Amino acid sequence: MLLPAEFEKNMRQLLGDARFEAFSSAMDEQPPVSIRLNPLKTALMDDEHRKRFSQRLGDAVPWCEGGFYLPQRPQFTFDPLMHGGVYYVQEASSMFLHTVLRQLLPDRPVAMLDLCAAPGGKSTVARAALPEGSLLMSNEPMRTRAQILGENMQKWGHPNVIVTNNYPRDYVKAGLKFDIILCDVPCSGEGMMRKDAGAVSQWSQALVEQCWQLQRQIVADAWECLADGGLLIYSTCTFNTHENEENIRWCQEQLGAEVTGIDVDHSWGITNSLLPHFSAPVYRFIPGLTRGEGLFMAAMRKSNGGTKADNHATLRNKAHKRLSILCDGPKQPERKGKDLLPDVSEALMVDTQKQAYPRCELSWEQAVAYLRRETIALPPEVPRGIVMVTFWNIPLGFVKNIGNRANNLYPQEWKIKSTHIPNNYDETIS
């Protein structure tokens, strides 16, 4: 892979010759493909389908329960199980958040904010790892990216998730206090160069300078929203020390942050601090040394805030009064003429899958047609009216069955647009 000369020079200096050679060789390899299962959705499948699905999985991702590598990259677009929230396609290194949360969370419900959450991978990790009864606010400042975040969190289907579209400073103004805040901050993207040519073309030293300054502003705002004793998790997908160790040192010196260690297995290949004379516990994932893309993560405690986290009712009340909310649980049905049409979120949310609607199991071909927002025909024995359609017992959404056809109620903005349809389901997951 042809990398910017200045970047290569910086990386050799950062890693040393031996580690740089391992990194450089890995950058010419195909990146590993990985997914993370949704335990609430996989539980809905019967034993036969669960076994069939599990046969497609490769090695487990060692630092994340439910994370798996795949032997090769399938055609995810045409897998109804992905659209139904059975799994999330996620880079393996970023799943390390699971280990961090499981080791550092208290054994009680908590309130968590994912401040820069789109497209939603780490929010789905967090939601699956948080203690039962916890509340997650998943936020994205950019409107178009926030819409994608909202779609992914609705498909994941876990309860007690609020998706918002605000800047970090808006949370400060709203006066909300959280037990945990994840700052997966915008960065120069060096860790994504192997899988994203755009990360290579956009890289410059000027971008690095711009990013580390923005990152400190975001963390400073987040720190104000963190309760006394709360946990702030800082994450980037880049390699340089300006955006990583130097920012953590700044948090120690300027915010009084206490960097907290995580127990890791030596076999995972995680690298610690690469900044001279800085030995606080931080965690680096480097291609060639770890089985994944580039990631940096550190966890920090706040010990001098003097404030408690808001309870969930207070958080919801403040948020709805002062923040831009995209979704908070299933959306209300929409009145169209004489019909009251349920929102797709009612089918996708696990805790709302009641027997209020008749269900119809679709074949793969029918499910793809449904996800392409085409008209489908249901068997004659299916009742007329609103019907929940499923694939492998996983709800996908609703149709209005009028007998000779079923009107498709899948969201227009979610539909599959690709026309390169595989011949059968096995081609999508093999």
Side-chain angles (χ1 to χ4, degrees):
M1 174 180 287
L2 184 61
L3 298 171
E6 187 176 10
F7 169 75
E8 283 203 357
K9 177 183 176 182
N10 294 344
M11 285 298 290
R12 184 179 290 276
Q13 183 177 1
L14 179 69
L15 298 177
D17 289 339
R19 283 189 293 204
F20 177 79
E21 292 305 324
F23 165 77
S24 183
S25 296
M27 294 298 282
D28 290 323
E29 301 171 356
Q30 286 295 317
V33 181
S34 51
I35 65 173
R36 186 170 36 77
L37 305 185
N38 183 341
L40 296 187
K41 294 290 182 81
T42 54
L44 300 177
M45 290 193 286
D46 61 36
D47 291 341
E48 179 183 349
H49 284 135
R50 195 180 300 112
K51 180 179 179 181
R52 181 179 172 187
F53 181 75
S54 65
Q55 289 173 343
R56 307 293 179 173
L57 305 176
D59 297 337
V61 175
W63 48 81
C64 180
E65 180 182 344
F68 291 90
Y69 296 99
L70 301 185
Q72 58 189 15
R73 188 173 190 85
Q75 297 191 53
F76 291 118
T77 300
F78 293 97
D79 187 356
L81 297 181
M82 184 193 74
H83 294 277
V86 170
Y87 64 88
Y88 191 96
V89 183
Q90 185 175 26
E91 196 282 308
S93 299
S94 63
M95 299 182 197
F96 183 61
L97 177 63
H98 175 91
T99 288
V100 175
L101 290 174
R102 283 296 174 90
Q103 289 192 22
L104 299 183
L105 284 183
D107 187 19
R108 61 172 175 80
V110 296
M112 177 173 176
L113 169 64
D114 185 352
L115 197 54
C116 310
K122 290 188 178 68
S123 276
T124 58
V125 171
R127 184 57 271 181
L130 291 176
E132 187 173 350
S134 297
L135 176 69
L136 172 66
M137 282 195 182
S138 187
N139 178 72
E140 170 55 43
M142 307 304 294
R143 183 72 180 183
T144 54
R145 287 169 55 79
Q147 296 287 356
I148 297 170
L149 172 64
E151 175 185 345
N152 287 331
M153 295 312 296
Q154 288 178 75
K155 288 179 176 179
W156 197 247
H158 279 231
N160 292 324
V161 176
I162 302 174
V163 178
T164 65
N165 172 217
N166 301 277
Y167 288 97
R169 195 66 192 170
D170 295 327
Y171 271 89
V172 178
K173 293 177 181 177
L176 280 68
K177 298 291 182 182
F178 296 88
D179 299 291
I180 306 127
I181 299 178
L182 171 62
C183 289
D184 185 27
V185 291
C187 68
S188 58
E190 296 167 348
M192 294 292 104
M193 285 183 174
R194 181 165 62 169
K195 62 184 297 185
D196 182 4
V200 178
S201 61
Q202 74 173 6
W203 185 88
S204 68
Q205 196 61 48
L207 177 62
V208 172
E209 291 295 313
Q210 176 185 337
C211 286
W212 71 254
Q213 295 178 59
L214 173 61
Q215 290 155 1
R216 293 185 184 185
Q217 294 172 22
I218 292 172
V219 171
D221 286 338
W223 200 254
E224 290 192 47
C225 298
L226 193 63
D228 186 32
L231 182 71
L232 189 144
I233 302 168
Y234 179 88
S235 176
T236 75
C237 58
T238 203
F239 298 119
N240 66 81
T241 61
H242 303 298
E243 299 177 70
N244 294 326
E245 286 93 342
E246 292 175 43
N247 275 350
I248 301 304
R249 184 172 62 187
W250 178 86
C251 290
Q252 288 179 308
E253 296 172 351
Q254 300 299 318
L255 304 178
E258 298 177 358
V259 187
T260 303
I262 310 295
D263 292 330
V264 300
D265 193 305
H266 177 74
S267 66
W268 298 352
I270 296 174
T271 303
N272 299 124
S273 173
L274 294 177
L275 179 66
H277 312 298
F278 183 78
S279 59
V282 299
Y283 305 90
R284 285 177 167 272
F285 290 69
I286 301 171
L289 305 180
T290 47
R291 194 176 176 186
E293 301 310 287
L295 177 85
F296 175 94
M297 192 169 286
M300 297 175 282
R301 289 279 183 195
K302 183 177 184 178
S303 60
N304 59 352
T307 56
K308 295 182 179 180
D310 292 320
N311 62 47
H312 295 179
T314 301
L315 280 172
R316 271 201 158 92
N317 184 46
K318 287 182 179 179
H320 280 274
K321 284 183 177 180
R322 304 177 189 178
L323 298 176
S324 174
I325 307 292
L326 292 188
C327 56
D328 180 6
K331 297 179 182 178
Q332 293 299 311
E334 181 182 1
R335 174 70 67 179
K336 284 196 174 181
K338 296 181 180 180
D339 295 322
L340 193 62
L341 304 180
D343 188 80
V344 66
S345 58
E346 190 172 346
L348 295 170
M349 291 289 178
V350 175
D351 63 341
T352 61
Q353 290 171 15
K354 303 173 184 176
Q355 301 304 317
Y357 303 96
R359 297 161 70 103
C360 180
E361 178 74 6
L362 303 181
S363 67
W364 173 78
E365 291 81 4
Q366 289 175 311
V368 169
Y370 173 75
L371 294 168
R372 287 171 56 81
R373 216 171 181 277
E374 298 171 357
T375 299
I376 60 175
L378 304 184
E381 65 270 17
V382 176
R384 298 194 180 195
I386 302 300
V387 176
M388 181 186 294
V389 293
T390 64
F391 177 75
W392 287 15
N393 203 41
I394 302 299
L396 302 177
F398 296 102
V399 297
K400 182 184 177 184
N401 187 27
I402 59 176
N404 60 332
R405 71 177 190 276
N407 293 336
N408 199 321
L409 302 181
Y410 197 66
Q412 178 72 29
E413 62 274 19
W414 291 9
K415 75 173 185 178
I416 296 175
K417 299 180 178 66
S418 175
T419 58
H420 301 288
I421 304 176
N423 294 318
N424 54 61
Y425 181 60
D426 285 341
E427 291 186 11
T428 74
I429 58 176
S430 60

